[in-house]
């Protein structure tokens, strides 16, 4: 080795595909998974120090062991020695503070090479050298060898980085296509983009470029067909039509204008294009603030050219007009931030300010991320948010911030965006954020505002009185605006009369001279002009903690009909005491109260209504919540145990149109109401209405789960469990332990879930709640079956059946289904079919749509096992169709997996491949671990049938790793069987025998099902 130079012995590190280190053409052993994760973290951050905390958080996101730091150091030492042995020199991995820095050149690390070629290509584009740009982009894409870090189970930081780099790779593919189109090479563009749109069917830019290339090559019919494909994919997966640019292109083709006029160029790298325009309407009566306007505009007037995000905070006391100024400036800056404007009221003055993690979810949805694809982890949400905004010009307005910690996660990462914050507090902890202090209005500006609201002629007629009124209002814009509106609505009353009235209320004048208290006096005038019914409505809706609410909620808390509440809300909107916040996904108008109006109205409620009446109003709205959520649960599951729990207390007279709206689309309704619902559960606990609290949490369980609202699920179950324990209800505690365990199970925490189920089981038995015990038996039996304990599962299902027969149809159907599942898992097909047919008969009597569908899914599985592929396929297609319409992603993927295996059984590999592509198009949206395992196994089986052994092996290994992690023994056995088939196809008979032995050892009592079988 003495004659080999250091350069000749330099290793090559790959992350754009499977993690790999090669020296002298041979791959080096990388050690255990955690060591590989450390190497990946260091590699993707090559050239900068990666702190010890970052590495520990990546390896152990939830609970690092006491030996975490020592373990990381051990992994780093092994990595350093590996490189030193391969290269004969040190310096590749060095200590930096408490962490490490990995040093590499583009020729040594494919990610650096990709980034370098990408930068060269974009530089060439800016210089107008299209040929050089195309060459650079091709060089960048040649470094991709499959999904980044394929086969490696990573933590939150790497997952975020992988998502960002993958998005960049997709964008570069499209930039290459656009460059080639400019070079008049449509044939190459068609070759590149046909597979690209097939694998990524939501990217409008790619569709547009492909349509343009087809037109250039003379295939007009092909271009129109591609548009139909785009429209179908967007409607099916996102429920939207193509954006205006793609529609314009389609229209140009239809009208034959392609040859004469240049076709539209699609420039967004992240499609479908979502340009949020969330700013509230600008105030027509905005006045003054010239200096502040100039200051804020100078700070944020156009995207910066450096690396720092332009940020500005408008700070000052309540009622001083911070939001008005921010909205006014933001409207003036819209042209500078052409990719959209995000707006949120962070409710910093409320007792429950918005959690920035929840705000990130909302912003991601506004930017085009489907709800199911929003990551659980806070860091992943931040990473995805900043990745989406990286090359876009977006203005982010954060109104009413509570402090630095609420704002910091919502800051973009690049200087193309800007942030405007309003707060009652100085945000000194945010380094680099400019601050604009807002004081009361000057006398001239106060008079100008009064003239715009009350009428200029009236102010000119009483100049002295008008000036006195502005002084009494202390220059506060909100107080001036309220008084002006009152004057405008009372043309018979003079300004002097208002001054005299204020003067008689000496204490109110004192309050009016102080910023926060001024609003109370002004609002009191508006309040006194309301009818008795409208005053009651205002007081009662102020009792709600929800950030917004629908009319049925107002009707419930005020004990009115919904039409009466809607009319009252309209009058309160006209009086500027309530605001309409738009229409939600199910067509309900949503309303909200300004923070200060809410405080004022609550004070009036405390003065005018006994505490018992206020508590009764809250109880009434909670009973309406119970009734409506139970109606949604019943529409899905029929007469389930959860519905029984929800209907046990209260006798609310529910509005029939609202019940029908809920029953027609319960999953969309609960998503539209999710923020209000979480607030209702929290308020029930805080109000001492503990029975309502835990019952409401229980009955919502499956509605939230099917919509994959996992954040909301954990919040309400945590609150509900605490409420049941505070009440001392052992049965309530058992119900909430069962619900909480289900939430843990859906996140893959199976040991924790089983512990919670067993605790609930003991409590149900002690309380002699046989139906609750039956519901718990179902959950435990399901875990037994999935973990290979078939005898235990069968015993539980039979116990459940005995307790529920002719008493609880839902539980009876589930018990029969469970017995059929056990028989099917054990390979007893005839017995399974008998049990499943019995389950189907009972499930159809339940009244809900889901029990028969769930049985149908397994009945199709039984038909598939005996080779009856036609009835199996029909069953699976019915399941997929309903789940697509309802937005049940996990159910849709399970149905698609079953249908894919049916096509493989029929030998239709082409159709199986098309279905596998549909599954993979939903890959990034999947959150439930077991669904991901089935999807991985199914697509692996398809790749095997297509002869693609390397991706098949990667997918099978992923399914095996995931099933080991959560303890899904049945799926471990299936994954080992699949690995054996892959090894056999590769000619490695020894490895195949070893894999089959692993499957047999895991599951000796059962005939393993086909890869990807149902959970």
């Amino acid at each position: 080795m003495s004659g080999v130079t250091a350069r000749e012995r330099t290793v090559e590190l790959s992350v754009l595909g499977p993690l790999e280190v090669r020296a002298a053409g041979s791959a080096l052993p990388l050690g255990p998974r955690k060591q590989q994760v450390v190497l990946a973290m260091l590699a993707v951050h090559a050239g900068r120090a990666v702190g010890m905390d970052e590495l520990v958080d990546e390896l152990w996101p939830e609970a690092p062991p006491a030996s975490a730091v020592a373990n990381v150091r051990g992994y780093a030492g092994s990595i350093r020695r590996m490189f030193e042995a391969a290269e004969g020199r040190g310096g590749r991995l060095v200590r930096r503070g408490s962490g490490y820095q990995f040093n590499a050149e583009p020729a040594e690390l494919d990610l650096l090479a990709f980034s370098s070629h990408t930068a060269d290509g974009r530089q060439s584009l800016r210089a107008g050298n299209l040929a050089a740009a195309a060459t650079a982009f091709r060089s960048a894409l040649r470094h991709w060898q499959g999904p980044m870090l394929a086969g490696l189970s990573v933590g939150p930081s790497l997952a975020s980085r992988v998502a960002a780099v993958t998005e960049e790779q997709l964008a570069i593919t499209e930039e290459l296509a656009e460059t080639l189109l400019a070079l008049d090479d449509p044939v190459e563009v068609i070759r590149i983009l046909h597979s690209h749109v097939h694998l990524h069917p939501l990217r409008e830019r790619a569709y547009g470029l492909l349509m343009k290339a087809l037109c250039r090559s003379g295939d007009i019919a092909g271009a129109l067909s591609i548009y139909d494909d785009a429209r179908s994919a967007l409607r099916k997966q996102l429920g939207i039509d193509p954006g205006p640019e793609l529609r314009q292109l389609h229209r140009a083709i239809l009208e034959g204008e392609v040859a004469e006029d240049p076709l539209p160029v699609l420039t967004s790298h992240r499609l479908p294009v979502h340009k949020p325009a969330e700013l509230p309407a600008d105030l027509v009566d905005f006045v003054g603030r010239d200096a502040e306007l100039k200051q804020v505009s100078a700070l944020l007037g156009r995207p910066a050219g450096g690396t720092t995000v332009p940020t500005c905070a408008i700070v000052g006391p309540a009622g001083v007009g911070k939001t008005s100024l921010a909205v006014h400036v933001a409207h003036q800056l819209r042209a500078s931030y052409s990719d959209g404007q995000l707006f949120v009221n962070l409710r910093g003055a409320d007792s429950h300010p918005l959690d920035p993690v929840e705000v990130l979810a909302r912003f991601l949805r506004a930017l085009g991320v489907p709800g199911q694809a929003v990551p659980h982890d806070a860091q992943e949400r931040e990473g995805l948010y900043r990745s989406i905004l990286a090359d876009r010009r977006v203005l982010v307005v954060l109104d009413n911030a509570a402090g630095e910690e609420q704002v910091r996660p919502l800051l973009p990462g690049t200087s193309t965006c800007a942030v405007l914050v309003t707060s009652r507090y100085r945000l000194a902890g945010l380094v680099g954020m400019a601050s604009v202090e807002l004081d009361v209005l000057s006398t001239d500006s106060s008079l100008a505002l009064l003239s715009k609201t009350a009428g200029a002629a009236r102010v000119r007629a009483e100049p002295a009185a008008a000036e006195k009124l502005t002084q009494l209002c202390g220059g506060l814009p909100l107080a001036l605006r309220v008084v002006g509106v009152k004057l405008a609505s009372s043309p018979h009353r003079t300004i002097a009369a208002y001054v005299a009235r204020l003067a008689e209320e000496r204490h109110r004048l004192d309050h009016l001279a102080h910023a926060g208290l001024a609003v109370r006096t002004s609002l009191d005038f508006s309040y006194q002009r309301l009818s008795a019914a409208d005053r009651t409505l205002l007081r009662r809706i102020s009792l709600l903690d929800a950030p917004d609410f629908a009319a049925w909620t107002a009707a419930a808390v005020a004990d009115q009909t919904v039409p009466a509440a809607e009319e009252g809300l309209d009058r309160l909107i006209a009086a500027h005491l309530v605001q309409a916040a738009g229409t939600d996904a199910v067509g309900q108008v949503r309303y909200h109260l300004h923070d200060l109006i809410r405080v004022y109205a609550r004070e009036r409620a405390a003065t005018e209504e006994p505490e018992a009446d206020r508590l009764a109003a809250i109880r009434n709205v909670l009973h309406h919540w119970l009734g409506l959520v139970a109606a949604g649960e019943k529409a899905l599951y029929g007469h389930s145990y959860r519905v029984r729990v929800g209907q046990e207390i209260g006798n609310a007279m529910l509005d029939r149109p609202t019940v029908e709206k809920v029953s027609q689309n319960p999953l969309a309704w609960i998503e539209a109401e999710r923020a209000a619902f979480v607030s209702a559960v929290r308020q029930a606990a805080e109000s001492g209405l503990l029975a309502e609290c835990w019952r409401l949490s229980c009955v919502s369980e499956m509605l939230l789960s099917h919509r994959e609202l996992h954040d909301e699920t954990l919040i309400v179950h945590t609150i509900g469990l605490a409420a049941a324990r505070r009440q001392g209800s052992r049965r309530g505690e058992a119900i909430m332990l069962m619900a909480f365990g289900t939430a843990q199970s859906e996140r893959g925490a199976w040991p924790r879930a089983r512990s919670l189920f067993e605790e609930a089981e003991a409590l149900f038995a002690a309380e002699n709640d046989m139906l609750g015990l039956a519901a718990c038996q179902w959950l435990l039996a399901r875990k037994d079956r999935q973990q290979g304990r078939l005898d235990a599962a069968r015993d539980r299902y039979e116990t459940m059946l005995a307790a529920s027969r002719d008493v609880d149809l839902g539980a009876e159907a589930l018990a029969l289904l469970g017995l059929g599942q056990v028989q099917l898992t054990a390979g007893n097909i005839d017995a399974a079919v008998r049990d499943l047919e019995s389950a189907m008969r009972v499930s159809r009597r339940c009244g809900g749509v889901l029990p028969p569908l769930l049985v149908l899914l397994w009945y199709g599985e039984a038909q598939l096992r005996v080779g009856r592929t036609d009835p199996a396929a029909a069953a699976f297609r019915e399941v997929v169709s309903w789940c697509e319409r309802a937005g049940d992603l996990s159910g849709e993927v399970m149905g698609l997996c079953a249908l894919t295996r049916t096509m493989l059984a029929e030998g239709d590999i082409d159709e199986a491949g098309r279905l596998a592509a549909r599954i993979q198009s939903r890959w990034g949206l999947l959150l439930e671990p077991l669904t991901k395992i089935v999807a991985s196994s199914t697509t692996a089986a398809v790749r095997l049938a297509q002869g693609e052994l390397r991706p098949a092996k990667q997918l099978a290994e992923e399914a095996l790793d995931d099933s080991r992690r959560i303890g899904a023994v049945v799926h471990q056995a299936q994954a080992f069987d699949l690995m054996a088939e892959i090894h056999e196809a590769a000619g490695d008979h020894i490895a195949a025998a070893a894999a089959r032995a692993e499957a047999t050892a895991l599951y000796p009592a059962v005939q393993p099902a086909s890869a990807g079988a149902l959970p």
Side-chain angles (χ1 to χ4, degrees), residues 138 173-199 205-226 229 253 263:
R138 282 195 178 99
T173 301
E174 291 159 13
E175 289 186 41
L176 171 61
E178 192 165 27
T179 304
L180 292 170
L181 204 55
L183 290 168
D184 199 22
D185 190 357
V187 174
E188 180 66 7
V189 173
I190 294 168
R191 185 191 67 78
I192 292 170
L193 291 184
H194 255 308
S195 59
H196 183 74
V197 297
H198 181 69
L199 293 172
R205 183 189 191 208
Y207 283 119
L209 292 168
L210 180 55
M211 290 167 63
K212 194 172 180 180
L214 289 165
C215 287
R216 293 272 182 90
S217 65
D219 188 0
I220 303 298
L224 295 174
S225 176
I226 289 296
D229 292 344
I253 296 171
L263 295 181

Side-chain angles (χ1 to χ4, degrees), residues 34-36 38-39 42 52 55 59 69-84 92-95 98-102:
K34 284 187 169 60
Q35 181 171 307
Q36 294 182 44
V38 171
L39 175 58
L42 297 170
M52 181 62 70
L55 294 168
L59 291 173
V69 171
N71 290 346
V72 170
R73 288 173 177 163
Y75 297 141
S78 297
I79 293 169
R80 185 181 64 252
R81 288 189 294 273
M82 175 184 70
F83 280 100
E84 289 176 348
R92 178 70 69 185
L93 182 63
V94 295
R95 289 288 297 271
S98 66
Y100 300 90
Q101 179 175 314
F102 183 82

Side-chain angles (χ1 to χ4, degrees), residues 904-959:
L904 287 176
E906 289 184 342
D908 192 344
I909 296 175
D910 290 342
E911 178 61 15
R914 284 189 287 271
L915 290 168
R918 285 180 65 184
I919 295 169
Q920 288 189 303
S921 72
R922 290 146 175 80
W923 206 274
L925 311 181
L926 295 176
L927 299 177
E928 204 274 322
L930 203 55
T931 307
K932 294 184 74 171
I933 291 170
V934 174
S936 298
S937 295
T938 301
T939 50
V942 173
R943 297 292 174 258
L944 173 61
Q946 293 171 331
E948 300 176 7
L949 300 186
R950 182 174 178 181
K953 185 172 181 289
Q954 290 173 348
L955 288 163
E957 287 174 342
E958 183 177 329

Side-chain angles (χ1 to χ4, degrees), residues 773-989:
L773 184 60
C776 195
Q777 291 286 345
W778 158 258
L779 297 168
L780 281 164
R782 186 167 184 253
K783 283 288 161 281
D784 286 333
R785 177 177 55 79
Q786 291 166 335
Q787 294 178 320
R789 294 185 286 270
L790 295 192
D791 290 340
R794 184 182 295 105
D795 291 345
R796 289 187 189 277
Y797 286 135
E798 288 175 349
T799 301
M800 177 183 177
L801 181 62
S804 61
R805 193 183 296 276
D806 299 324
V807 177
D808 186 327
L809 291 175
E812 183 179 349
L814 288 176
L816 289 166
L817 169 61
L819 289 171
Q821 291 168 332
V822 169
Q823 296 288 7
L824 196 57
T825 305
N828 303 324
I829 309 300
D830 292 340
V833 169
R834 286 194 299 271
D835 286 333
L836 291 170
E837 288 175 343
S838 298
M840 181 63 76
R841 285 192 296 271
V842 177
S843 69
R844 286 172 175 159
R845 295 164 55 199
C846 291
V849 66
L850 282 181
L853 277 175
L854 184 57
V855 177
L856 185 63
L857 185 64
W858 282 88
Y859 184 78
E861 181 72 20
Q863 298 299 313
L864 179 59
R865 296 284 180 88
V866 294
R868 301 189 186 105
T869 54
D870 286 345
F876 299 145
R877 287 193 176 98
E878 185 174 343
V879 172
V880 170
S881 176
W882 185 89
C883 292
E884 277 186 309
R885 293 194 304 272
D888 182 351
L889 179 68
S890 290
E892 179 190 354
V893 171
M894 284 296 186
L896 285 172
C897 288
L899 189 57
T900 302
R901 289 184 289 104
T902 306
M903 294 302 101
L904 287 176
E906 289 184 342
D908 192 344
I909 296 175
D910 290 342
E911 178 61 15
R914 284 189 287 271
L915 290 168
R918 285 180 65 184
I919 295 169
Q920 288 189 303
S921 72
R922 290 146 175 80
W923 206 274
L925 311 181
L926 295 176
L927 299 177
E928 204 274 322
L930 203 55
T931 307
K932 294 184 74 171
I933 291 170
V934 174
S936 298
S937 295
T938 301
T939 50
V942 173
R943 297 292 174 258
L944 173 61
Q946 293 171 331
E948 300 176 7
L949 300 186
R950 182 174 178 181
K953 185 172 181 289
Q954 290 173 348
L955 288 163
E957 287 174 342
E958 183 177 329
L960 182 59
D961 288 345
D962 287 343
S963 59
R964 278 173 171 158
R965 178 173 56 84
I966 67 174
V969 175
V970 172
H971 289 278
Q972 286 183 56
Q974 293 171 5
F976 272 120
D977 269 345
L978 181 57
M979 289 293 297
E981 292 183 43
I982 295 168
H983 289 313
E984 287 285 5
D988 191 343
H989 305 298

Side-chain angles (χ1 to χ4, degrees), residues 712-748:
E712 289 83 352
T713 301
L714 286 178
I715 290 170
V716 300
H717 288 351
T718 300
I719 296 170
L721 179 58
R725 286 171 170 165
R726 279 174 57 198
Q727 189 192 17
S729 170
R730 290 165 61 83
R731 175 173 175 261
E733 182 178 358
I735 289 171
M736 290 316 305
L737 286 169
M738 185 168 63
F740 204 88
T742 302
Q744 294 295 327
S745 177
E746 288 172 351
R747 284 175 170 255

Side-chain angles (χ1 to χ4, degrees), residues 40-358:
M41 275 286 285
L42 297 170
V44 301
H45 297 296
R48 82 159 177 88
V50 181
M52 181 62 70
D53 288 346
E54 293 180 73
L55 294 168
V56 169
D57 289 344
E58 180 69 11
L59 291 173
W60 299 279
E62 295 181 356
S67 60
V69 171
N71 290 346
V72 170
R73 288 173 177 163
Y75 297 141
S78 297
I79 293 169
R80 185 181 64 252
R81 288 189 294 273
M82 175 184 70
F83 280 100
E84 289 176 348
E87 297 181 295
R89 60 187 175 95
R92 178 70 69 185
L93 182 63
V94 295
R95 289 288 297 271
R96 287 287 184 270
S98 66
Y100 300 90
Q101 179 175 314
F102 183 82
N103 297 312
E105 298 296 329
E108 301 164 337
L109 176 58
D110 57 0
L111 178 58
L112 293 179
F114 171 76
S115 299
S116 176
H117 289 308
T118 295
D120 290 345
R122 287 175 173 163
Q123 179 62 37
S124 296
L125 278 184
R126 286 192 290 270
N129 191 341
L130 300 182
T135 299
F137 289 150
R138 282 195 178 99
S139 297
L141 293 172
R142 274 196 290 270
H143 290 283
W144 279 82
Q145 302 299 319
M148 184 175 175
L149 298 178
L152 182 61
S153 179
V154 299
S157 178
L158 278 176
S160 176
R161 181 70 172 141
V162 166
V165 176
T166 301
E167 173 62 29
E168 182 75 346
Q169 182 255 343
L170 298 179
I172 289 301
T173 301
E174 291 159 13
E175 289 186 41
L176 171 61
E178 192 165 27
T179 304
L180 292 170
L181 204 55
L183 290 168
D184 199 22
D185 190 357
V187 174
E188 180 66 7
V189 173
I190 294 168
R191 185 191 67 78
I192 292 170
L193 291 184
H194 255 308
S195 59
H196 183 74
V197 297
H198 181 69
L199 293 172
H200 311 285
L202 303 181
R203 300 185 70 84
E204 289 189 47
R205 183 189 191 208
Y207 283 119
L209 292 168
L210 180 55
M211 290 167 63
K212 194 172 180 180
L214 289 165
C215 287
R216 293 272 182 90
S217 65
D219 188 0
I220 303 298
L224 295 174
S225 176
I226 289 296
Y227 179 80
D228 290 339
D229 292 344
R231 182 172 56 186
S232 174
L234 292 168
R235 283 182 175 176
K236 183 174 295 184
Q237 297 190 37
L238 300 179
I240 63 173
D241 284 322
E245 293 173 327
L246 201 60
R247 294 199 305 270
Q248 180 185 351
L249 174 58
H250 180 243
R251 186 163 53 251
I253 296 171
L254 289 174
E255 293 174 357
E257 298 177 355
V258 178
E260 293 77 13
D261 298 323
L263 295 181
V265 178
L266 306 180
T267 57
S268 172
H269 294 178
R270 298 170 179 86
L271 293 171
V273 176
H274 283 254
K275 293 185 178 180
E278 297 186 334
L279 296 178
D282 199 2
L283 294 174
V284 296
D285 55 8
F286 187 89
V287 298
R289 306 299 192 193
D290 293 338
E292 293 88 349
L293 275 169
K294 185 179 296 184
Q295 188 176 359
V296 177
S297 296
L299 290 166
L300 307 180
R302 61 176 179 269
T307 59
T308 303
V309 181
T311 55
C312 177
I314 301 173
V315 297
V320 79
K322 300 182 296 295
T323 300
S324 299
L325 175 60
V327 170
H328 188 68
V329 173
H331 276 283
Q332 292 185 340
L333 296 177
R334 286 185 64 191
S336 296
Y337 297 93
S338 54
D339 289 322
Q341 306 83 41
L342 294 167
F343 181 93
V344 65
N345 179 2
L346 294 173
R347 302 176 65 200
D350 203 330
S351 58
H352 296 292
L354 290 185
D355 186 338
V357 178
E358 298 175 12

